[in-house]
Amino acid sequence: MFSYNKFLEFPVNIKTKNTRLANIVATQYGGPNGELGASLRYLSQRYTMPDDVTKGLLTDIGVEELGHLEMVGTLVKQLSDGECAEDWMKMGSWEYYADNGASVYPQNTQGSPFNAASIAVTGDAITNLFEDLAAEQKARAVYDNILRLSDDPDVNEVIKFLRQREVVHFQRFGDPKLTI
């Protein structure tokens, strides 16, 4: 069973609304390389791991990814909270608003909703761990892209934290002490 602490792993305190940036950040909520897919991937893969160390690693990182999902959702909410349809249109994010209003919805930046087909659970421990290494790098690359697109220091601090956790997860998945 998991324990839920009612605070974010890293504080999210956005001062400036920006619906366009909310739309961009939302891809890490439910896009193909986002936190929802990562959490489901790791929490699903753990069942077929051959040892408790690797099962534990996938459980730990999968639960942390759920925390990251909450942070990204909070970013999207704070960037768009209270903005009316006209504000979404001015910022060029009318597509997101048309489908979702000002809610937080799992989709990529083009509006495609989350699809579980992207979580890549094969049942083969080695294949899964190589997929996990790649997934962490893809998520890091998306965070790098968001940093290039964002000029909001409050958003950037959160994105930098999340990006660093992707690097740590990559290192943990590549640990030579894992025996499978």
Side-chain angles (χ1 to χ4, degrees), residues 38 95 98 106:
E95 299 93 345

Side-chain angles (χ1 to χ4, degrees), residues 98-153:
D99 286 337
N100 311 305
S103 64
V104 178
Y105 183 76
Q107 69 177 42
N108 68 19
T109 56
Q110 292 85 34
S112 296
F114 175 76
N115 183 336
S118 68
I119 67 171
V121 177
T122 66
D124 179 80
I126 294 170
T127 302
N128 283 344
L129 288 173
F130 274 99
E131 169 58 31
D132 299 343
L133 286 163
E136 293 297 327
Q137 288 301 304
K138 290 185 276 187
R140 181 206 43 82
V142 173
Y143 283 128
D144 285 343
N145 292 339
I146 292 170
L147 286 169
R148 288 184 198 100
L149 294 169
S150 171
D151 61 357
D152 185 320

Side-chain angles (χ1 to χ4, degrees), residues 5 31 41 62 73 86 113 120 142:
N5 297 312
R41 174 184 301 112
E86 183 177 286
V142 173

Side-chain angles (χ1 to χ4, degrees), residues 86-104:
E86 183 177 286
D87 295 327
W88 284 82
M89 287 179 66
K90 278 192 247 178
M91 294 300 289
S93 295
W94 55 84
E95 299 93 345
Y96 184 93
Y97 186 84
D99 286 337
N100 311 305
S103 64
V104 178

Side-chain angles (χ1 to χ4, degrees), residues 56-105:
L57 174 66
L58 286 163
T59 302
D60 291 347
I61 294 176
V63 170
E64 183 178 348
E65 299 288 4
L66 288 171
H68 296 172
L69 181 69
E70 190 166 353
M71 291 172 64
V72 172
T74 301
L75 268 173
V76 172
K77 176 66 174 164
Q78 288 184 17
L79 282 165
S80 61
D81 196 30
E83 298 295 282
C84 65
E86 183 177 286
D87 295 327
W88 284 82
M89 287 179 66
K90 278 192 247 178
M91 294 300 289
S93 295
W94 55 84
E95 299 93 345
Y96 184 93
Y97 186 84
D99 286 337
N100 311 305
S103 64
V104 178
Y105 183 76

